[in-house]
Each structure stands twice: as structure tokens, then as C-alpha cells.
Amino acid sequence: MKIGSVALFAVLLSACAPKPSIPNQALLEQLSDRLKYQYHECVPLGWAPVKTGATYYPGYTATLATYVEFLDAIWRGRIEKSDLNKPEALAVYNVLNHLVQAGMLVRTPRAAGFDYYLTWNSIPYFYATNSYNDNHGNLPYFCYSTIVPKRILWVEPILPTKNERIRRGHLYRIAFSWKPSEPASWADDGFIRSHSVVLAPTHNAITAKLFYFSGEWWLLNLYDGSWMFPTLADASVWPSARR
């Protein structure tokens, strides 16, 4: 989901929009539409997390793609056979092979190891951006659930900050409760689920800032009252997280 930046609003030329009346159900529907691609539970794609405090950072990686080269793959990975004596590399290898079995990757053997590529079916679940501060470092994941808003808890109008420079429309801060969506079928594998992570936000409820202009709502940010760091579903399954 691509969301315009606040700078976009400063150049809007339409007449000043009326302040909207906001039925909670209508606002919930708008919020749900904007969060339908806000991923929640994910599998690290080609790398092993290293636990640090309540979160993690990337350790061993098999990722080769740069994401910027012309005609390069969206993602591709490589495991060298010589690396498989390393516990972290072996953990990544096992995850990649379970994703092959789930139809998410194709594995190509080489003399020195194995190459991995996305399948067409996997592309909707690939995530390597940082929407609403939930993926620091733009790490690659396959994500199998999203955030589903359940109930609007409160709504309040707010004044724009000096940096927002909004000349049209209205800003609101809202709080809402939520739940994870039903997981995608490819993640039924217990091994995959145990090796997954939970992206921020991880707490209930969430506070969001929204912009309303000319009948349209724009979601600007999310905040759950924490540092918005992701967590490991089960730290014990990752060798680097057990140290």
C-alpha cells in the first residue's frame, strides 16, 4: 500500500474542506481499507534474527538481491554448502526449504550450494519496506497475516504541527483496537509459524493520525505506546537467539 507524504497536502489547491461528521462505523471501514496490507506476522526471508532485548537484528543472511538493479529479481537468495556447518546458516537453509515445500520459493541446486527465487504465488506476501515504522532496515519477509481494526475507541481533532504546513483539510488522532487476520494457507506449517516474527504494532490499542480532505482519508502514522520494535514468535528456534 502506497501512502502519500504529508508534503503532498501542502500543495492541494481545492477549496477548504468542511469538517466531516465521523460515524465510528464509517471511520472503521476507512481505516480497515487502509490497513489491509499492513502486515503483522511474518517469516524472515533468507536471514536469521539475533535476539537483543525484546527485539532482534539480522545476523547471517543468504539474500543476494539489491532491489535496485535494472531487471534484477525482487528477491533472490543463495546458501553455500560450506556454510551449512554454521548453526545460523543451517537454520536459514531449513526455513527456505520449508518455504519451497509451501510453494513460496523455487530452489535451484548448484555445485557449491543452492539458489532460491520467489514464485509468482509468493509475490503478494513479500514485504521489504517500512510502512508506519514497522520494518527498520527494510528487511525482507514473507508475511501471512495483517492488522484488522475491530473498534474505534476515541476520536479527537488535532492541530497540524509546524512541519506539516497543512492548508486544507483536517487532522485527527484516533485510537482503535485490532486483531490479526486469519493466516494465509501457506503458513499452516508449524515449522514456518514457529520461525516467524511479529511486526509492530504489537500492542492494543493503537493510536493513529489521519488526514481528511475532500471526502478522502489518509493514514499518516501508527503508534502503539511502545518503541514499535518487532518481536520473535519463538526465540528458542533460532541458534543466534539462544545465546
Side-chain angles (χ1 to χ4, degrees):
M1 177 174 57
K2 303 296 184 184
I3 303 296
S5 67
V6 174
L8 170 65
F9 307 138
V11 299
L12 294 174
L13 301 178
S14 302
C16 186
K19 195 169 185 177
S21 172
I22 317 173
N24 277 5
Q25 183 58 37
L27 183 54
L28 187 67
E29 291 172 359
Q30 292 283 343
L31 189 62
S32 298
D33 184 65
R34 278 142 188 79
L35 288 174
K36 61 187 176 183
Y37 300 116
Q38 182 63 17
Y39 293 116
H40 180 55
E41 296 165 300
C42 306
V43 183
L45 180 55
W47 56 275
V50 178
K51 182 174 172 58
T52 175
T55 186
Y56 56 85
Y57 62 89
Y60 173 88
T61 180
T63 294
L64 293 176
T66 62
Y67 312 112
V68 295
E69 295 177 8
F70 181 61
L71 294 182
D72 196 11
I74 296 174
W75 180 91
R76 55 194 173 95
R78 174 171 294 173
I79 296 279
E80 302 293 348
K81 290 179 181 177
S82 59
D83 283 345
L84 293 179
N85 60 347
K86 304 172 186 176
E88 293 163 14
L90 182 60
V92 171
Y93 176 72
N94 289 333
V95 171
L96 292 176
N97 289 336
H98 275 78
L99 291 170
V100 170
Q101 294 172 14
M104 303 295 283
L105 295 173
V106 172
R107 185 178 75 176
T108 303
R110 299 181 302 108
F114 306 92
D115 286 342
Y116 295 86
Y117 302 90
L118 304 187
T119 65
W120 283 109
N121 291 337
S122 72
I123 291 175
Y125 304 100
F126 177 76
Y127 182 57
T129 56
N130 186 23
S131 298
Y132 311 121
N133 204 32
D134 68 340
N135 183 15
H136 303 276
N138 296 339
L139 300 171
Y141 295 95
F142 277 147
C143 296
Y144 57 84
S145 74
T146 60
I147 286 175
V148 179
K150 289 176 59 180
R151 185 165 65 93
I152 303 296
L153 303 178
W154 50 259
V155 180
E156 65 177 14
I158 57 175
L159 294 175
T161 66
K162 184 166 127 182
N163 292 333
E164 285 168 331
R165 298 165 46 209
I166 292 175
R167 297 181 297 164
R168 302 287 188 269
H170 304 278
L171 283 171
Y172 291 88
R173 184 176 290 112
I174 73 169
F176 63 96
S177 60
W178 60 278
K179 65 178 181 179
S181 70
E182 289 296 319
S185 59
W186 60 265
D188 289 343
D189 184 333
F191 183 93
I192 289 175
R193 297 286 288 274
S194 68
H195 285 74
S196 63
V197 305
V198 181
L199 298 184
T202 59
H203 296 73
N204 254 319
I206 304 175
T207 302
K209 183 186 282 188
L210 292 98
F211 177 78
Y212 176 85
F213 177 77
S214 190
E216 295 289 334
W217 290 93
W218 303 78
L219 179 60
L220 304 183
N221 61 46
L222 295 173
Y223 179 63
D224 70 358
S226 73
W227 289 102
M228 293 285 283
F229 290 143
T231 61
L232 294 167
D234 183 355
S236 69
V237 303
W238 296 102
S240 55
R242 293 197 293 263
R243 291 202 295 260

